[in-house]
Amino acid sequence: MKTFFTVVKLDYLQRTRNYAFLVTLCASLAIAYTFVPEPNANYSTIRIADYVGFYNSAWFGYATAIMTNIFLSLIGFYLINSAIKNDLETKVGQMITATPISNFNYLFCKVISNFLLLLTIVFTVFLMSIILFFLYNDGGPFQLFQFVKPYLIITIPTMFFIACLAIIFEVIFQKYSVLQNIIFFFLFSFLAFNSSKNETDFLLDTFGSQIVMHELEEKVKEITNTDKTTGISIGYISGNTTKAKKIKFTGVDFPLTFILSRIIWMVLGVIMIGFVSLFFHRFTIKNKLKTRENTKTIKENKSINELNLSELIISKINYSIFPLIKIELLLLIRKGKKWLWLINILGMILLAVLPLEIAHQMILPILWFLQVHRISDISTKEETFNIHLFTGSSYKPIQRIFTSKILASFFFMLIISLPLIIKLALNLNFLSSLFIVFGFLFLIVTSVVFGLLSKGKKIFEIVFFLITYANINGVIDVDYFGGFKKDLASIYTLLVLILILLGTSFFLKKKAAN
Amino acid sequence: MELDIQNVSKKYNRNTYGLKDFSIHIEKGILGLLGANGAGKSTLLKMIATVSKPTSGIITLNKNNILKDANYMRSQLGFLPQDFGVYPNLNAHEFLEYMAAMKGIGGKNLNIKITQLLEGLNLTEAAKKPIGTYSGGMKQRVGIAQALLNNPKIILFDEPTVGLDPEERVRFRNLISDLANDCIVILSSHIVSDIDTIADKVAILKNGSLVSYGNQKEIIEKVTNKVFETLIENTQLNNFKKEHIIVSTSKKEGKLKVRYIANHPIENSIKKTATLEDAYLFLNKIT
């Protein structure tokens, strides 16, 4: 048992002692600040038709717990789904293989470590919810239990299940993080929007928040004296909040069966871990891969040529940036599994054949998101692949190499989006074509800036994921590619933003080089 | 060609120095940098390569301050870092093309030059296969090839023989000797045998400071008449270690044959000819 706690503690420490986690915590605080809107804010987060709750302890507790539950289930998965991959990449896994630790114990240690990471963020948000109460409350008393209860019954079991799910995905899909991300995206969408209406359904609700939403809906029906289904919205909804009426919400008396179901979800997670531990690779996948490749390629010719320096051709100076762009483009194209290109090609065909609106609003953001592994490490791949000492000692690294990476990404995204750009141009919709170009340019510079600031790609991936999720749900405020907005002013705003981010990226890169 | 390093320090925090008040003047030929892990060899090479900037001090190449004009150094530099990576999806030819572009060289003959380098370093067969599938030694040879792409006038090799098999090491040493005919080669290692056969001059570093600098003869002179060999019992070894600097031990006739450095030899010791390794160990212990 002592070993178990030691492993969990050390794993937790090594994962939290980095800059990216600090940035994540700060971002969590900032996001949590918006979970209960300031009384005069022009957006709402949880809303039942025209109603929101009085700002009392219960509303603050439940609203922040549900928002954390939904957002952290989504973001949290991407934050923690590299626990095993890290051990594989750092080769610590090879050492673990040689220890007597069982597969289940190892995976369970990782689950607990994942869970603790998520709990750290949940705790940060929890503290913020109390601060928000004292900032905005409508005069009710502070009741700590109204804060603790929803977190304890709704959020924490969900976080544990997500911690298990992340490990299960890592075991099943091994190194294929793109596949993990895509499948989780669909799984999350299915689970989050699988609405429940009766007590039995609530037991099957993975996230456990439907019961609260149902209670709120019933309260509104009571007030309005109607049986009509009211519109419930969770997330950021802009406008119209000043007209929202208020209902008094005093919390939910969770049935015992529901509380038990929350525990069962956690147990289910552990059982699934036990199941996947039966076929956990135990860090042999890389070795297998290497052995296979080695037998194929490393039959070295034992010729003993010697390099004759006097015969070497004298190299000519050529400071052109194009050879760099060419190789960078090649790297982007070759990144990831080859079969993923089939999806890309399918996406490009859909861009060309589907009606403009669907292609622009749905297919394009999804197709761009599928390139996340390509564009998320524009500014960090030198360090990741340990090439930075070469680039750092090369000729004009910032002006030439850094620029070439941005340009190659630009051309890559242009190729991916070309069918729609051409189609729009043929329809004389040049504004939308331009919006798309600015859209992917915005993604590229955002990735660069986030990479330079966080020294990793995770933060950008999470933000990109959230934006895409909002995009395909039709949230106009985060439309950066002209799917919904068609005005010139939005293009100008985007252009200014791009220029600021571009300037920032060169400034940060120069600062890092110095 | 002359490289001048004057009072260079690299400070990591208040009390930790990677390099401390380091000065050295280097001219054409091979300089061997010897030192234990953490002695400051890589820190020094990274600063010469303009990858890292010193906290204080000046580095000049042919009187040009490279801290102000890094590109002057970069345009004539060949650098093989100790721990470098590659893009595993590129093959050796593509990777060298990429490195050439980074260095700002190209033209019609680039492909011929890359082919020559790959042939000379016995990588022709694997040249079209992804580098991710290469063995450590093959990657190291790709690293050597990239360092020679731009007709460098100053070449930095940081622990270059790691991963090379004995035959490759010999070929590599020959190559370095050839290179040194018209450029500065700085070769760092903690393995004395990598350096003693080829270096014109040797600098020994310890804890970020220069302990000794000169040609091999001058350095070896510091232990002349101080190197001995004797036979001792196994049980005596620990006590022996406390009183002498042991260079090596081997088993002989049920006893231990010990090569050691001392001002006054113990009884039954035989005086031996001092080597660079003896001097390196001696200077590392006493300074």
Side-chain angles (χ1 to χ4, degrees):
Chain A
M1 207 59 182
K2 199 183 164 195
T3 316
F4 176 80
F5 285 117
T6 311
V7 174
V8 169
K9 186 183 117 188
L10 296 176
D11 195 57
Y12 173 77
L13 287 178
Q14 65 97 4
R15 292 168 74 187
T16 48
R17 279 179 188 162
N18 64 57
Y19 191 60
F21 189 72
L22 190 69
V23 173
T24 311
L25 268 189
C26 293
S28 308
L29 266 178
I31 293 169
Y33 181 74
T34 65
F35 278 176
V36 179
E38 185 257 317
N40 298 318
N42 66 344
Y43 72 95
S44 63
T45 49
I46 293 182
R47 192 181 168 107
I48 313 95
D50 287 336
Y51 289 85
V52 293
F54 273 109
Y55 278 13
N56 57 12
S57 292
W59 183 257
F60 276 95
Y62 281 78
T64 55
I66 289 173
M67 290 294 282
T68 311
N69 199 36
I70 299 291
F71 276 88
L72 205 53
S73 299
L74 191 59
I75 301 171
F77 178 84
Y78 294 100
L79 201 68
I80 59 176
N81 74 340
S82 51
I84 300 173
K85 194 178 163 196
N86 281 347
D87 281 352
L88 192 70
E89 284 176 355
T90 55
K91 293 178 183 167
V92 171
Q94 290 176 2
M95 290 183 237
I96 292 168
T97 310
T99 66
I101 193 168
S102 70
N103 282 356
F104 177 77
N105 279 352
Y106 170 74
L107 295 178
F108 194 61
C109 283
K110 289 288 171 190
V111 168
I112 300 297
S113 164
N114 278 350
F115 180 54
L116 289 176
L117 274 180
L118 294 177
L119 270 193
T120 310
I121 299 170
V122 169
F123 185 67
T124 312
V125 178
F126 176 78
L127 290 179
M128 179 53 89
S129 70
I130 294 174
I131 294 170
L132 288 176
F133 170 82
F134 286 108
L135 284 177
Y136 306 144
N137 80 78
D138 284 336
F142 172 70
Q143 295 168 301
L144 184 63
F145 189 61
Q146 293 286 24
F147 284 85
V148 175
K149 194 173 153 190
Y151 277 93
L152 209 58
I153 296 173
I154 298 171
T155 317
I156 290 178
T158 308
M159 292 306 113
F160 186 82
F161 190 71
I162 294 292
C164 293
L165 218 51
I167 296 297
I168 292 162
F169 269 57
E170 276 203 85
V171 174
I172 295 175
F173 300 109
Q174 302 186 358
K175 294 191 301 175
Y176 306 119
S177 44
V178 183
L179 211 58
Q180 285 181 42
N181 293 347
I182 294 168
I183 292 176
F184 181 76
F185 179 81
F186 288 111
L187 182 69
F188 175 84
S189 304
F190 172 75
L191 293 174
F193 296 100
N194 189 16
S195 64
S196 316
K197 293 289 168 205
N198 59 53
E199 225 170 90
T200 324
D201 286 348
F202 297 147
L203 305 182
L204 301 174
D205 175 18
T206 323
F207 298 114
S209 48
Q210 295 285 350
I211 190 168
V212 182
M213 299 313 294
H214 178 73
E215 185 90 4
L216 285 166
E217 200 177 5
E218 289 301 311
K219 272 216 176 312
V220 172
K221 280 178 185 171
E222 247 176 60
I223 294 169
T224 53
N225 269 330
T226 172
D227 273 345
K228 269 200 293 181
T229 316
T230 47
I232 300 178
S233 52
I234 309 176
Y236 292 91
I237 305 108
S238 63
N240 214 24
T241 45
T242 46
K243 290 173 193 165
K245 296 163 213 164
K246 294 216 169 177
I247 48 164
K248 193 173 181 192
F249 176 67
T250 52
V252 178
D253 284 329
F254 295 109
L256 187 64
T257 48
F258 179 77
I259 296 172
L260 279 175
S261 78
R262 302 304 291 151
I263 298 168
I264 290 169
W265 275 109
M266 293 167 76
V267 175
L268 183 69
V270 179
I271 292 170
M272 289 199 292
I273 290 291
F275 179 67
V276 294
S277 70
L278 298 176
F279 45 90
F280 172 50
H281 54 67
R282 211 175 163 91
F283 305 103
T284 54
I285 48 170
K286 209 170 183 180
N287 293 342
K288 275 181 194 163
L289 210 69
K290 259 195 176 163
T291 315
R292 199 168 64 234
E293 282 162 352
N294 286 353
T295 50
K296 221 191 318 174
T297 60
I298 314 298
K299 279 181 182 168
E300 249 202 286
N301 175 15
K302 274 292 169 192
S303 61
I304 41 163
N305 294 336
E306 294 235 7
L307 193 59
N308 191 340
L309 291 170
S310 59
E311 283 178 6
L312 277 183
I313 286 171
I314 302 291
S315 310
K316 284 186 181 160
I317 301 288
N318 179 4
Y319 294 136
S320 164
I321 197 173
F322 291 108
L324 286 168
I325 295 173
K326 184 189 121 189
I327 302 277
E328 289 291 349
L329 203 52
L330 205 61
L331 284 168
L332 286 172
I333 292 167
R334 285 187 189 164
K335 198 162 187 190
K337 291 277 136 195
K338 280 178 191 161
W339 63 263
L340 277 172
W341 267 105
L342 290 175
I343 301 178
N344 283 345
I345 290 165
L346 179 71
M348 289 164 78
I349 293 169
L350 290 177
L351 285 183
V353 298
L354 284 179
L356 274 176
E357 205 163 273
I358 298 173
H360 200 166
Q361 291 174 359
M362 292 291 289
I363 307 296
L364 188 71
I366 294 175
L367 188 59
W368 282 358
F369 183 69
L370 290 176
Q371 317 311 319
V372 63
H373 63 297
R374 292 194 167 90
I375 60 167
S376 61
D377 65 353
I378 299 169
S379 55
T380 56
K381 71 176 165 196
E382 282 170 13
E383 277 79 15
T384 311
F385 289 103
N386 212 358
I387 302 283
H388 60 290
L389 291 179
F390 288 139
T391 48
S393 61
S394 61
Y395 188 75
K396 295 192 173 179
I398 296 175
Q399 297 95 317
R400 299 174 65 249
I401 298 158
F402 185 58
T403 310
S404 74
K405 284 181 199 300
I406 294 175
L407 286 174
S409 307
F410 176 85
F411 289 126
F412 177 81
M413 292 299 275
L414 182 68
I415 295 165
I416 289 285
S417 323
L418 209 54
L420 186 60
I421 293 174
I422 293 172
K423 201 174 165 187
L424 285 164
L426 291 174
N427 280 282
L428 303 177
N429 192 348
F430 299 110
L431 198 69
S432 290
S433 295
L434 194 63
F435 224 137
I436 292 174
V437 174
F438 283 1
F440 63 70
L441 194 53
F442 169 74
L443 278 181
I444 290 165
V445 288
T446 308
S447 157
V448 171
V449 171
F450 276 45
L452 288 168
L453 282 174
S454 68
K455 297 178 175 62
K457 58 182 184 173
K458 209 90 185 174
I459 306 285
F460 171 75
E461 286 180 350
I462 291 168
V463 171
F464 188 17
F465 180 80
L466 277 179
I467 293 175
T468 307
Y469 186 72
N471 290 149
I472 56 177
N473 281 294
V475 180
I476 299 169
D477 288 344
V478 287
D479 174 22
Y480 63 96
F481 54 91
F484 304 91
K485 295 174 184 168
K486 308 283 176 198
D487 57 306
L488 211 56
S490 300
I491 284 205
Y492 286 138
T493 311
L494 189 61
L495 180 62
V496 170
L497 204 58
I498 290 167
L499 290 175
I500 291 170
L501 286 168
L502 199 60
T504 310
S505 65
F506 275 90
F507 170 76
L508 289 173
K509 185 71 186 172
K510 202 166 180 193
K511 200 169 159 234
N514 285 334
Chain B
M1 286 299 272
E2 52 177 9
L3 178 70
D4 207 23
I5 298 167
Q6 293 167 28
N7 309 104
V8 163
S9 292
K10 181 77 180 178
K11 202 174 179 180
Y12 293 120
N13 57 46
R14 226 168 76 183
N15 299 317
T16 316
Y17 283 87
L19 212 60
K20 199 171 181 182
D21 203 22
F22 187 96
S23 297
I24 201 166
H25 180 82
I26 306 162
E27 289 181 357
K28 204 172 74 180
I30 302 170
L31 168 70
L33 283 183
L34 268 177
N37 291 328
K41 306 183 299 290
S42 295
T43 308
L44 175 65
L45 292 185
K46 279 181 200 166
M47 289 194 288
I48 298 172
T50 72
V51 176
S52 158
K53 279 191 175 173
T55 316
S56 60
I58 297 171
I59 304 176
T60 60
L61 178 67
N62 302 331
K63 312 269 185 232
N64 291 285
N65 186 344
I66 62 160
L67 303 179
K68 287 182 180 163
D69 183 10
N71 288 318
Y72 179 77
M73 169 63 91
R74 288 168 183 168
S75 59
Q76 41 197 331
L77 173 74
F79 178 36
L80 178 68
Q82 180 182 3
D83 183 22
F84 68 92
V86 289
Y87 287 130
N89 288 337
L90 296 181
N91 62 43
H93 198 281
E94 288 163 343
F95 184 71
L96 291 178
E97 254 184 79
Y98 182 63
M99 295 305 297
M102 283 209 274
K103 288 163 183 269
I105 56 167
K108 286 176 193 167
N109 291 331
L110 179 64
N111 274 335
I112 302 171
K113 179 147 194 182
I114 291 174
T115 308
Q116 285 180 325
L117 285 167
L118 290 170
E119 261 174 28
L121 290 159
N122 300 306
L123 287 165
T124 310
E125 269 196 25
K128 296 288 174 192
K129 288 167 186 163
I131 310 180
T133 63
Y134 284 18
S135 67
M138 290 167 82
K139 274 185 202 160
Q140 195 70 3
R141 280 180 273 150
V142 174
I144 294 166
Q146 67 76 31
L148 305 176
L149 272 167
N150 57 329
N151 321 312
K153 291 290 166 206
I154 172 157
I155 306 175
L156 313 176
F157 288 122
D158 195 358
E159 308 275 359
T161 53
V162 175
L164 298 183
D165 65 30
E167 275 179 49
E168 287 166 348
R169 276 173 186 238
V170 172
R171 285 202 293 274
F172 181 67
R173 273 185 222 145
N174 295 341
L175 174 66
I176 291 180
S177 298
D178 288 350
L179 284 168
N181 287 333
D182 64 342
C183 50
I184 294 173
V185 179
I186 305 178
L187 172 70
S188 101
S189 182
H190 58 269
I191 302 165
V192 180
S193 60
D194 279 348
I195 283 177
D196 62 2
T197 48
I198 49 171
D200 301 308
K201 287 197 168 185
V202 175
I204 298 175
L205 279 81
K206 188 184 174 187
N207 297 334
S209 299
L210 184 64
V211 172
S212 184
Y213 174 53
N215 61 41
Q216 292 197 42
K217 200 178 159 198
E218 286 165 351
I219 291 175
I220 292 169
E221 267 173 14
K222 298 187 182 196
V223 283
T224 305
N225 298 326
K226 288 180 181 170
V227 182
F228 304 93
E229 221 170 65
T230 188
L231 285 174
I232 60 167
E233 297 295 334
N234 285 342
T235 49
Q236 290 176 289
L237 185 64
N238 283 341
N239 281 336
F240 195 88
K241 267 184 191 169
K242 286 175 193 162
E243 289 160 23
H244 305 94
I245 299 168
I246 295 181
V247 178
S248 64
T249 58
S250 59
K251 286 199 170 174
K252 190 181 178 187
E253 297 159 6
K255 289 188 170 186
L256 278 181
K257 186 167 84 175
V258 183
R259 183 182 176 98
Y260 68 100
I261 302 166
N263 285 324
H264 307 290
I266 62 162
E267 268 182 48
N268 301 323
S269 292
I270 306 162
K271 194 191 280 181
K272 304 299 282 185
T273 310
T275 64
L276 184 62
E277 188 167 22
D278 298 325
Y280 168 59
L281 287 171
F282 175 71
L283 290 166
N284 246 313
K285 291 274 181 189
I286 61 151
T287 46

